[in-house]
C-alpha cells in the first residue's frame, strides 16, 4: 500500500476550509484548491455545503466567513479586489488589444474591468461608459478619456448601478466594444447572474455594442447563478487566463467566440 496521506472525507475538508478562513477571513477558490489539494469543483461543492449551513458566504472569486468583520460593503469590495489580482491584471492587459483610439468602450462593474482603467491612459479620443462608481472615479483622472456613468439604481455592495434607468442610458449610445464581467460562467449556461437588474443592464449593453467581450478569469469557470445573461455563442471574445484548460478554451471557441488566454 502507498504510504501517502489518505484523502480527507468531505466533513474533514470542510473543517479544514473553515480553519483556513479563520486565519485569513477571505480566500480565493484558487488558494483553496492549492491548500486542500483538491479540484476546483470539489472546493465549490464544499463551499456550497458550508454556505447552506450558514457558516460561509461566497464572494466574487472566493469565499469568506459569515461573521467575518470585513463583511461591510466597502471592505467586501476591497476584499474582492485583492483576490486573484495577477490574473485580473493579465486579463485586463489582454483586453487592451481590443481597444483602439476614438472608440466608445463600455466597462462593466467589477474588479477585473476596473483593472482596464489605468491601461487606457495612452489611448486618445476614447469615450468610456461604465456603471461602476470605482471605475468612473479612475476614468475622471484620465484627461484623454470622456467618461460617462450610466446612473441607475445604486448598489453599495458592488459599488455599481443597474436597472431600467441605467439600461435607458446605454440604449442611447453606440458602443464599439463592451467588456462584460461575471462571477459565474460555464459551457452549458454561459454567463449567469444572481440579480435580474444586472441582467437587464448587461443585455442592454449587448444590444448597443458592435462587439462584446467577456472578461472572466478561470477561477470563475464552472459556476452557475439563477439568471442567464448570455450564451457563449452571443459573445465575440472571451478574455481569460492561461489556467483555463486548453480543451475548455477549444470547447468555448466551438460555440463562436475567440478565446484569449493571458499569462498571469
Amino acid at each position: 500500500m502507498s504510504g501517502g496521506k489518505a484523502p480527507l472525507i468531505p466533513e474533514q475538508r470542510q473543517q479544514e476550509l473553515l480553519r483556513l478562513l479563520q486565519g485569513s477571513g477571505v480566500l480565493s477558490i484558487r488558494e483553496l484548491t492549492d491548500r486542500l489539494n483538491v479540484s476546483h469543483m470539489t472546493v465549490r461543492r464544499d463551499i456550497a455545503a458550508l454556505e447552506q449551513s450558514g457558516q460561509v458566504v461566497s464572494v466574487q472569486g472566493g469565499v469568506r466567513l459569515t461573521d467575518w468583520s470585513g463583511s461591510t460593503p466597502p471592505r467586501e469590495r476591497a476584499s474582492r479586489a485583492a483576490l486573484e489580482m495577477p490574473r485580473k491584471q493579465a486579463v485586463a492587459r489582454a483586453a487592451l488589444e481590443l481597444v483602439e483610439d476614438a472608440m466608445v468602450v463600455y466597462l462593466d462593474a467589477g474588479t477585473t474591468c476596473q483593472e482596464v482603467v489605468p491601461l487606457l491612459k495612452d489611448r486618445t479620443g476614447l469615450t468610456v461608459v461604465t456603471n461602476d462608481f470605482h471605475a468612473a472615479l479612475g476614468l475622471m483622472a484620465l484627461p484623454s478619456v470622456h467618461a460617462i456613468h450610466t446612473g441607475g439604481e445604486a448598489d453599495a455592495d458592488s459599488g455599481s448601478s443597474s436597472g431600467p434607468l441605467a439600461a435607458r442610458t446605454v440604449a442611447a449610445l453606440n458602443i464599439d466594444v463592451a467588456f462584460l464581467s461575471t462571477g459565474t460562467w460555464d459551457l452549458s449556461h454561459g454567463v449567469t447572474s444572481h440579480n435580474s437588474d444586472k441582467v437587464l443592464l448587461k443585455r442592454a449593453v449587448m444590444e448597443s455594442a458592435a462587439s462584446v467581450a467577456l472578461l472572466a478569469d478561470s477561477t470563475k469557470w464552472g459556476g452557475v447563478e439563477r439568471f442567464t445573461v448570455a450564451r457563449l455563442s452571443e459573445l465575440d471574445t472571451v478574455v481569460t487566463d492561461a489556467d483555463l484548460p486548453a480543451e475548455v478554451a477549444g470547447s468555448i471557441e466551438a460555440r463562436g467566440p475567440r478565446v484569449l488566454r493571458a499569462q498571469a
Side-chain angles (χ1 to χ4, degrees), residues 113-220:
C113 285
Q114 188 181 349
E115 288 301 312
V116 176
V117 173
L119 304 179
L120 300 176
K121 66 183 188 304
D122 296 325
R123 295 289 193 269
T124 60
L126 288 182
T127 296
V128 182
V129 185
T130 186
N131 66 322
D132 190 293
F133 295 111
H134 300 269
L137 287 172
L139 291 167
M140 289 168 63
L142 303 179
S144 62
V145 172
H146 177 57
I148 298 174
H149 194 277
T150 62
E153 190 78 15
D155 174 33
D157 184 42
S158 65
S160 67
S161 61
S162 60
L165 292 175
R168 283 202 287 272
T169 298
V170 166
L173 298 167
N174 297 312
I175 298 166
D176 293 301
V177 59
F179 293 121
L180 295 186
S181 64
T182 188
T184 51
W185 61 305
D186 74 354
L187 205 60
S188 300
H189 305 87
V191 181
T192 55
S193 174
H194 69 286
N195 185 298
S196 59
D197 274 352
K198 295 183 188 299
V199 175
L200 177 68
L201 178 57
K202 290 176 193 286
R203 291 302 308 183
V205 168
M206 293 177 69
E207 290 292 327
S208 295
S211 179
V212 179
L214 176 70
L215 307 191
D217 68 61
S218 61
T219 65
K220 297 165 187 171

Side-chain angles (χ1 to χ4, degrees), residues 21 25-32 40 43-44 47 51 56-65 68 70-85 87-89 91 107-115 131-132 134 155-160 179-185 191-195 198 202 214-221 223-225 229 239-241:
L21 284 174
V26 61
L27 286 169
S28 71
I29 301 295
R30 176 69 176 188
E31 287 171 312
L32 288 170
H40 187 192
V43 167
R44 286 197 176 275
I47 289 172
E51 196 164 26
V56 303
V57 175
S58 293
V59 298
Q60 189 169 6
V63 63
R64 66 168 173 81
L65 292 171
W68 183 48
S71 62
T72 56
R75 291 187 64 188
E76 187 162 298
R77 168 76 183 223
S79 72
R80 291 199 304 269
L83 291 171
E84 304 292 349
M85 185 55 70
R87 294 175 189 273
K88 293 174 182 179
Q89 292 172 338
V91 168
L107 290 178
D108 204 359
T111 53
T112 303
C113 285
Q114 188 181 349
E115 288 301 312
N131 66 322
D132 190 293
H134 300 269
D155 174 33
D157 184 42
S158 65
S160 67
F179 293 121
L180 295 186
S181 64
T182 188
T184 51
W185 61 305
V191 181
T192 55
S193 174
H194 69 286
N195 185 298
K198 295 183 188 299
K202 290 176 193 286
L214 176 70
L215 307 191
D217 68 61
S218 61
T219 65
K220 297 165 187 171
W221 175 258
V224 179
E225 289 286 2
V229 174
V239 188
T240 186
D241 61 85

